[in-house]
Amino acid sequence: VFYLKDPAYPVRVEVHVRAHSESGVFMQWTVIRNEGEEGIRIHRAASGHLNLKAERYFVTSFRGTWGGESLMSEEEVARGHELVLASGTGTRAAQEGSPGFIISLDGPAPEDSGEVIMGAVAWPGNYRIWFRHSPYHYLYAGAGMDVAPAPYVLDAGGVLETPPVILAWSGEGKGEASRSMHRWARRYGLRGGDEERMTLLNSWEGVYFTFTEDVLHGMMKRAADLGIELFVLDDGWFGNRFPRNDARAGLGDWQENRAKLPHGIDGLAEKAEELGIRFGIWVEPEMVNPQSELFLSHPDWVIGLPGRENRLERSQYLLDLSNPEVRGYILGVMRELLGKHPGIAYVKWDCNRKISDPGSAWLDARHQGNLAIDYVRGYESVLDALAEEFSQVVFQACSSGGGRADYGTMRRHHEFWTSDNTDACERVFMQWSIGHLFPAISMGAHVTASPNHQTGRAVPLKFRFDAAMAARLGFELQPCDMTEEDAAFSRRALAEYKRIRPVVQFGDLYRLSSPYESRMASLMYVREDRAVVFAWLMDKWLADAPPPLRLKGLKPGTRYLLRELNMDGNGSLTHVHEQVLGGDFLMNAGIRINWKKTFQSVCLECIEGIIYLNE
């Protein structure tokens, strides 16, 4: 800790730096103390700064929007110019772009060589990251929460702690930087980063708001038959006076809808237990519909500007988490839900709108600028209390998809929902990008129906499986509508995923071929004596001869048994299925894939040290 004092004003600043030797990752944050007798206004409060010296600087960012989160791009910061990455939504800030970056010195960021610095701000609210290339070839960079839309007032005796910025340096390219970040994340950045994640079936795209208890029982029975471990009931299960039959009513009234669920949540949880699977549920406690008992009782709990019409988004308002009464209500609702129904093993916590009219009836006029930060601190305090009281419950962070894919949120959740766009083709791009910053164990990825509900694209079941198996595998469809052929394939693929799950969820990531640079995307995970390789063909040209796929991270002097997983009617695509080959051969000569058509994919397991005799 470095202790600093302003020579002219009664302000002290502590600069905290923490080094994690086993991963090579650093964290930095600041603590600002107002030791005077009057309040001060804070216009900028960075968590950390970097001063670098090189000839050229390239910055990789992960910008996006709903349905297209964390799409990667790289640009040079020209001499004398400044590049700013920022988000001002207040709640789902990562949807406009994950608060992370990669700085590459003297050229674009290579995968396996060159000096790079990877960083991420652990903050789910407004953030600002900037890079200024001075005329003398220094790069001044800073990152932290954005004090917006107005200065933060720190009262006399007050303390403001900024969120950590996480930094990983690599002299061997961005691949090693990602592996360092992932090792740190699994140990420190995620809740339960050392615990395997369950496969699950989420009800949303299967039935949306329209379901009965019998329909859910049928989905659970089919899920158990396929080998799925958890059933998650999504939106639409609550509200009586204002039943949640669409997005326009019920938010805030967290009582079971007895018309839909005559035996309640406990009846569903008991049915799941009878079938040998776990049960989970969807909530959105930060929101309220105007058509709700909660809003009729407490209209003053909603964020909005006095004297102006409050705008609706998705037919809902945002509750003011800077208000301790609101936090107490949300905490009480969740304590009752999880305490009364101990069969709930998983919570999908959603957040489907931003702060659009930033006004608080709780904060006085002088402190209105504190709302964006106080809201996030309120959200964090509620999740911290729930994590402590219900440590056995798995929490997923959903925010219209990937709006809270940040390390501030992930300290309190086990995983995030990568995107509401479940198209396997587009998910390959998004998972490739966000995988630079986050390990596979943190990314929810689901096998969904074809044609896809968002894009209308038809993709083979094997491709959909191979895309989802590269992260935390789940399902989001009506399994009772599956053909027997697709169900049989799904059983085999789910069993294979459970077998390779430790490699995918805890292994070191090696990126082989980028979908942003090639018609083929490929990556692999390596853990101890096994590796799993994924490859997806995004487009096929008639006159095309893709180069061999050269693997990474293997032991050159070791022989590996190779097995293709999830083969469909097309059979083997690699000609190495059930072959034993040396690690040096696989990394230098590589594997040729006999691609035949667009949206084919390969899942290949490499098992170390096995002598195999083909009889």
Side-chain angles (χ1 to χ4, degrees):
V1 182
F2 298 85
Y3 296 93
L4 312 174
K5 186 181 185 307
D6 192 301
Y9 295 94
V11 177
R12 293 183 183 269
V13 176
E14 300 167 7
V15 179
H16 293 248
V17 181
R18 178 177 296 161
H20 295 273
S21 58
E22 73 283 358
S23 62
V25 166
F26 287 81
M27 297 173 65
Q28 184 174 331
W29 69 97
T30 58
V31 176
I32 303 167
R33 300 182 184 277
N34 179 6
E35 298 181 340
E37 297 179 358
E38 298 180 359
I40 60 172
R41 295 183 180 272
I42 298 175
H43 295 265
R44 184 78 59 85
S47 298
H49 288 86
L50 291 171
N51 297 336
L52 306 175
K53 184 67 170 74
E55 289 294 315
R56 301 173 71 189
Y57 304 95
F58 291 77
V59 170
T60 300
S61 58
F62 304 89
R63 314 306 292 162
T65 186
W66 178 86
E69 285 89 338
S70 297
L71 296 176
M72 186 174 67
S73 62
E74 186 175 36
E75 56 193 303
E76 184 172 6
V77 184
R79 187 178 179 185
H81 288 232
E82 183 177 54
L83 171 65
V84 176
L85 309 176
S87 178
T89 64
T91 56
R92 52 189 192 187
Q95 199 151 64
E96 293 188 339
S98 180
F101 59 89
I102 303 172
I103 304 171
S104 179
L105 277 58
D106 293 322
E111 189 65 39
D112 301 307
S113 62
E115 185 176 1
V116 303
I117 296 171
M118 182 175 290
V121 181
W123 182 244
N126 298 336
Y127 65 84
R128 188 174 188 273
I129 307 169
W130 68 95
F131 312 87
R132 184 165 63 85
H133 188 173
S134 80
Y136 298 97
H137 287 303
Y138 287 96
L139 184 77
Y140 302 111
M145 60 186 181
D146 196 6
V147 181
Y152 187 92
V153 174
L154 186 62
D155 292 327
V159 177
L160 177 66
E161 181 173 325
T162 68
V165 59
I166 304 144
L167 299 167
W169 175 89
S170 169
E172 300 177 5
K174 62 181 181 178
E176 184 58 34
S178 287
R179 290 186 286 277
S180 295
M181 187 75 81
H182 295 175
R183 285 191 289 268
W184 170 85
R186 285 190 293 265
R187 184 163 182 181
Y188 300 105
L190 313 175
R191 274 193 68 191
D194 59 348
E195 304 166 4
E196 284 190 2
R197 304 298 193 248
M198 293 178 282
T199 58
L200 63 84
L201 168 64
N202 182 284
S203 69
W204 180 243
E205 287 191 20
V207 292
Y208 293 102
F209 289 106
T210 307
F211 54 81
T212 65
E213 194 173 69
D214 287 343
V215 167
L216 298 180
H217 284 180
M219 295 179 78
M220 286 191 280
K221 187 175 185 303
R222 185 67 154 176
D225 175 65
L226 294 175
I228 293 170
E229 297 160 312
L230 168 73
F231 175 77
V232 180
L233 174 58
D234 210 284
D235 200 353
W237 60 267
F238 52 91
N240 288 299
R241 180 181 173 189
F242 299 98
R244 182 71 168 175
N245 295 322
D246 54 41
R248 294 173 293 182
L251 276 179
D253 302 342
W254 300 102
Q255 67 268 153
E256 299 146 292
N257 183 328
R258 289 292 177 173
K260 286 183 178 180
L261 305 176
H263 296 95
I265 291 172
D266 285 341
L268 294 176
E270 288 166 7
K271 183 65 174 178
E273 184 179 7
E274 175 187 320
L275 294 167
I277 62 176
R278 310 294 297 279
F279 178 75
I281 203 162
W282 177 96
V283 295
E284 194 177 7
E286 299 165 70
M287 307 292 165
V288 64
N289 289 122
Q291 294 186 54
S292 68
E293 295 178 61
L294 177 63
F295 181 76
L296 294 179
S297 300
H298 297 285
D300 56 316
W301 281 7
V302 166
I303 288 176
L305 294 170
R308 295 181 181 272
E309 182 180 355
N310 201 0
R311 288 171 288 184
L312 287 167
E313 287 186 13
R314 200 175 180 259
S315 303
Q316 62 197 48
Y317 296 130
L318 189 65
L319 293 173
D320 182 3
L321 269 68
S322 74
N323 186 336
E325 288 187 56
V326 174
R327 297 197 299 272
Y329 173 79
I330 294 173
L331 195 53
V333 163
M334 291 304 299
R335 281 172 171 154
E336 182 177 0
L337 179 66
L338 298 179
K340 184 179 176 182
H341 307 292
I344 296 175
Y346 180 102
V347 170
K348 178 181 177 182
W349 184 294
D350 215 337
C351 173
N352 279 304
R353 69 157 294 170
K354 62 182 182 292
I355 298 176
S356 57
D357 301 276
S360 168
W362 167 255
L363 298 171
D364 62 29
R366 187 164 175 267
H367 291 87
Q368 288 295 310
N370 294 15
L371 175 60
I373 291 174
D374 288 356
Y375 181 95
V376 174
R377 293 306 189 198
Y379 159 75
E380 291 178 333
S381 70
V382 170
L383 267 296
D384 285 340
L386 293 174
E388 183 176 351
E389 293 180 42
F390 303 98
S391 58
Q392 78 284 2
V393 178
V394 174
F395 278 72
Q396 183 194 70
C398 181
S399 188
S400 294
R404 279 178 171 161
D406 66 85
Y407 277 117
T409 298
M410 296 317 298
R411 288 175 58 191
R412 299 160 175 91
H413 293 75
H414 297 76
E415 62 180 34
F416 56 81
W417 181 227
T418 311
S419 175
D420 283 345
N421 182 352
T422 59
D423 183 307
C425 174
E426 297 197 24
R427 274 299 192 99
V428 167
F429 286 88
M430 287 185 273
Q431 291 170 199
W432 177 275
S433 298
I434 200 65
H436 281 68
L437 301 171
F438 292 89
I441 193 173
S442 65
M443 292 186 281
H446 293 176
V447 176
T448 57
S450 182
N452 178 264
H453 287 195
Q454 291 82 43
T455 66
R457 183 182 282 114
V459 174
L461 181 59
K462 172 176 169 53
F463 190 97
R464 286 176 273 151
F465 254 103
D466 289 347
M469 284 175 64
R472 193 276 292 137
L473 173 65
F475 267 58
E476 192 162 333
L477 43 69
Q478 173 49 285
C480 300
D481 294 341
M482 298 177 75
T483 65
E484 285 305 315
E485 181 183 2
D486 284 353
F489 181 92
S490 298
R491 287 188 195 96
R492 294 194 302 272
L494 277 158
E496 293 286 24
Y497 179 77
K498 291 176 189 175
R499 198 174 52 77
I500 66 172
R501 172 164 51 188
V503 182
V504 173
Q505 296 189 0
F506 303 113
D508 284 336
L509 169 66
Y510 291 87
R511 291 180 287 265
L512 307 180
S513 177
S514 170
Y516 292 87
E517 301 170 1
S518 168
R519 289 187 288 278
M520 178 182 70
S522 181
L523 53 80
M524 62 185 289
Y525 300 99
V526 180
R527 184 175 189 246
E528 297 173 352
D529 60 351
R530 285 196 293 167
V532 179
V533 182
F534 295 94
W536 306 272
L537 187 66
M538 314 305 291
D539 193 14
K540 178 72 169 71
W541 290 13
L542 182 61
D544 207 2
L549 188 63
R550 295 180 175 88
L551 307 189
K552 299 176 184 178
L554 303 180
K555 299 174 184 176
T558 298
R559 293 171 68 77
Y560 292 84
L561 167 65
L562 284 83
R563 298 176 60 248
E564 280 190 61
L565 310 181
N566 300 347
M567 284 191 291
D568 58 10
N570 293 301
S572 172
L573 297 180
T574 66
H575 306 297
V576 298
H577 178 55
E578 300 286 6
Q579 300 294 312
V580 177
L581 297 170
D584 51 355
F585 176 87
L586 294 169
M587 292 190 291
N588 295 318
I591 299 169
R592 291 196 176 274
I593 302 177
N594 184 25
W595 298 118
K596 299 173 183 177
K597 54 188 175 182
T598 303
F599 300 142
Q600 284 189 315
S601 58
V602 168
C603 179
L604 184 70
E605 182 181 24
C606 307
I607 306 173
E608 176 188 322
I610 292 180
I611 299 174
Y612 180 77
L613 299 177
N614 190 345
E615 299 177 356

